[in-house]
């Protein structure tokens, strides 16, 4: 993808749209399989992508080496927030955080494929006596220098729409 344009909000405009097979909800990745965001609206020749840093963005994420799973939220220019992590799971500073790709059943699965790199843990908050903890995650991809992105089309994630009898 070329012609990447940023907006005042944590949204990116790419120069591909519905004529290129892109649909709302498609996942956008950058170099090395790094999660950029998700398509939220489009025209025939362009699409708007909600970035991982957007406070309205959320994804189930994990630290594969320890099994720690939680919800990752954008926080604008601040590090990402990785929340609702079981305190029994280790969350080491420096650990890589990826999309979890959780599948609950054949009809309910994560809207994001498993293993897309998001960032690295930079701080952990583990209050004494709490059952959950949180962490701050520094994104790996620097959007200011990203020149090429890939849109994953036809990924069958989320909740399946029931078929008519």
């Amino acid at each position: 993808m070329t012609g990447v344009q940023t907006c005042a909000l944590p949204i990116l405009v790419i120069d591909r749209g519905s004529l290129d097979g892109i649909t709302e909800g498609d996942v956008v990745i950058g170099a090395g399989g790094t999660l950029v965001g998700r398509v939220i609206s489009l025209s025939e020749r362009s699409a708007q992508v909600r970035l991982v840093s957007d406070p309205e963005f959320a994804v189930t994420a994990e630290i594969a080496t320890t099994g720690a799973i939680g919800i990752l939220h954008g926080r604008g220019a601040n590090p990402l927030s990785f929340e609702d992590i079981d305190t029994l799971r280790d969350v080491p500073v420096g650990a890589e955080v990826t999309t979890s790709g959780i599948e609950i059943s054949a009809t309910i699965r994560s809207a994001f494929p498993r293993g897309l790199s998001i960032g690295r843990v930079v701080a952990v908050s583990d209050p004494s006596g709490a059952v959950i903890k949180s962490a701050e995650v520094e994104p790996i991809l620097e959007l200011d220098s990203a020149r090429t992105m890939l849109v994953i089309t036809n990924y069958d994630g989320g909740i399946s729409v029931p078929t008519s009898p």
Side-chain angles (χ1 to χ4, degrees):
M1 211 97 347
T2 57
V4 174
Q5 174 185 0
T6 57
C7 300
L9 299 172
I11 291 184
L12 188 74
V13 177
I14 57 175
D15 66 349
R16 298 290 188 265
S18 61
L19 291 177
D20 302 294
I22 294 173
T23 60
E24 279 189 36
D26 284 347
V27 178
V28 181
I29 62 174
T34 305
L35 182 61
V36 171
R38 194 162 187 198
V39 174
I40 57 168
S41 68
L42 67 155
S43 67
E44 289 182 343
R45 301 191 188 282
S46 67
Q48 289 188 342
V49 177
R50 182 176 314 278
L51 302 177
V52 172
S53 59
D54 188 321
E56 293 185 35
F57 187 92
V59 60
T60 305
E62 73 177 333
I63 297 174
T65 56
T66 67
I69 293 177
I71 305 296
L72 190 127
H73 296 276
R75 292 182 18 198
N78 298 312
L80 306 171
S81 177
F82 189 25
E83 302 171 346
D84 299 330
I85 307 164
D86 183 343
T87 56
L88 299 177
R89 299 292 183 165
D90 192 25
V91 180
V93 170
E96 182 181 13
V97 177
T98 63
T99 54
S100 67
I102 290 176
E103 187 169 329
I104 296 172
S105 72
T107 58
I108 302 173
R109 63 190 284 199
S110 174
F112 298 88
R114 183 181 184 121
L116 298 177
S117 184
I118 300 171
R120 296 212 175 270
V121 175
V122 293
V124 178
S125 174
D126 190 2
S128 178
V131 294
I132 58 172
K133 59 184 164 186
S134 62
E136 290 189 347
V137 175
E138 192 65 41
I140 291 175
L141 183 66
E142 294 181 23
L143 287 171
D144 295 343
S145 61
R147 299 287 176 244
T148 304
M149 294 181 194
L150 174 72
V151 179
I152 300 174
T153 58
N154 299 320
Y155 175 71
D156 191 21
I159 299 174
S160 298
V161 177
T163 56
S164 300

